[in-house]
Amino acid sequence: MRLTSVLISALALTMVSGCVASKIVTAPFKAAGTVVETAVDASTQTQSEREEDLGRQVLAERKRERDACLKRAQDKAERKQCKKAYEDD
């Protein structure tokens, strides 16, 4: 049974033109290459993405500092100074 299926497959490949047969044979390798390229691209980070992440971290830190300053403020004047010191430009 297995031998006949192998023979039929081999016969079918010889009957198909070389162009189609090569596409059939190389298709799995092309698909695997695409998956690998996608995985590598997803795991790398561009310079602009690193800068955006750094910017987000800086903004989050400034917000934490501002919130801490507001918690420490004793009166309205001190809260106003905190807001002025950490206001967005």
Side-chain angles (χ1 to χ4, degrees), residues 2 12-13 16 18 24 30 34 42 50 58-59 61 65 72:
R2 185 177 172 110
L13 283 175
V16 194
I24 291 171
K30 288 182 181 177
T34 303
R50 280 191 290 274
V58 168
L59 287 175
E61 179 63 27
E65 290 173 1
R72 288 189 308 263

Side-chain angles (χ1 to χ4, degrees), residues 58-69:
V58 168
L59 287 175
E61 179 63 27
R62 284 181 52 85
K63 186 178 184 311
R64 282 192 292 274
E65 290 173 1
R66 178 180 175 261
D67 291 344
C69 181

Side-chain angles (χ1 to χ4, degrees), residues 41 44-54 56:
D41 188 42
T44 58
Q45 190 178 38
T46 64
Q47 180 66 28
S48 64
E49 290 171 334
R50 280 191 290 274
E51 290 172 356
E52 288 174 7
D53 288 345
L54 183 61
R56 285 188 200 104

